[in-house]
Amino acid sequence: MYKRVRLKDTVEVPPRHLADVTPERVKRLLQDKLEGRMDEEVGSIVSVTNVHDIGDGAVLPNRPGVYYEAEFDAITFDPQMQEVVDGTVVEVVEFGAFVGIGPVDGLLHVSQISDEYLAYDGENQQLASTETNRTLGVGDEIRVRIVTKSIDERNPRDSKIGLTAKQPGLGKHGWLEAERQEREAQMEGN
């Protein structure tokens, strides 16, 4: 999910900073340009951490700044298909729950939460089972698997990550703990 990668990109140094083209200045400019952006190859750039090399500057016609190619390290978040991740429910809606996994949210559709029917309780911002006392609400910790991923580099907010919690070992942490305790009690009883 999180990776440290070495990247290259071009950064514009404005005229007022041309006397200060240092790794620290270039790092700040790269952070402003790249942090929070999505890239199909590396995922979401979380942080630019270290600048290793700054190339020669280039001047472009009708542009006030000087452009430098820089080689740098960055921390990225790149969710992988079928990866199991822990997250926190950040919003509950009629059709499911949005789960925060790192710097992005994924959709856990109501049909992918449980085999039980879950009704939407808008007043309490939760999905509630009509068969058991199980609920899933904002702030709940949950273990999910990434099953779909569509990254939109131009509009990162339009990127979509689909999740499931229906497989063994997945679900709300409280449900998993209750199941574990139930198994242990059954084993002690035998």
Side-chain angles (χ1 to χ4, degrees):
M1 270 233 260
Y2 287 96
K3 295 185 258 183
R4 190 175 102 197
V5 295
R6 177 120 350 143
L7 302 171
K8 282 186 177 180
D9 201 351
T10 302
V11 64
E12 178 185 9
V13 177
R16 69 181 177 278
H17 296 302
L18 288 176
D20 183 32
V21 183
T22 62
E24 192 57 39
R25 167 73 58 203
V26 171
K27 176 182 170 183
R28 283 196 298 273
L29 292 168
L30 286 166
Q31 287 170 331
D32 290 345
K33 177 183 177 185
L34 299 175
E35 288 180 0
R37 298 207 38 207
M38 296 289 276
D39 179 278
E40 187 70 41
E41 292 180 25
V42 299
S44 176
I45 298 175
V46 177
S47 178
V48 174
T49 58
N50 191 19
V51 173
H52 293 285
D53 186 43
I54 303 169
D56 293 332
V59 178
L60 299 178
N62 300 319
R63 301 298 303 238
V66 177
Y67 292 82
Y68 292 88
E69 185 167 297
E71 185 175 320
F72 58 95
D73 288 336
I75 303 297
T76 64
F77 176 82
D78 188 18
Q80 299 298 306
M81 292 292 290
Q82 304 308 320
E83 184 174 10
V84 174
V85 296
D86 288 315
T88 304
V89 176
V90 295
E91 183 180 4
V92 176
V93 292
E94 285 184 50
F95 54 86
F98 289 94
V99 179
I101 52 171
V104 297
D105 295 343
L107 172 63
L108 180 60
H109 190 269
V110 68
S111 68
Q112 294 297 310
I113 296 172
S114 169
D115 288 329
E116 300 175 27
Y117 175 75
L118 297 174
Y120 176 65
D121 177 0
E123 187 175 316
N124 295 309
Q125 275 287 291
Q126 65 183 8
L127 294 166
S129 169
T130 56
E131 301 167 28
T132 63
N133 289 332
R134 288 183 168 189
T135 61
L136 183 67
V138 173
D140 287 344
E141 299 291 320
I142 189 165
R143 180 165 295 144
V144 294
R145 181 182 305 278
I146 297 169
V147 292
T148 60
K149 176 174 116 170
S150 174
I151 303 299
D152 186 335
E153 293 180 28
R154 289 189 182 152
N155 298 306
R157 295 215 174 270
D158 291 340
S159 297
K160 298 189 178 15
I161 297 174
L163 309 170
T164 186
K166 283 184 86 167
Q167 299 161 341
L170 302 179
K172 181 177 168 180
H173 287 188
W175 300 345
L176 297 173
E177 178 62 21
E179 289 168 7
R180 185 187 64 76
Q181 290 175 356
E182 190 177 301
R183 281 192 310 274
E184 287 177 358
Q186 287 177 352
M187 289 174 52
E188 289 175 5
N190 291 334

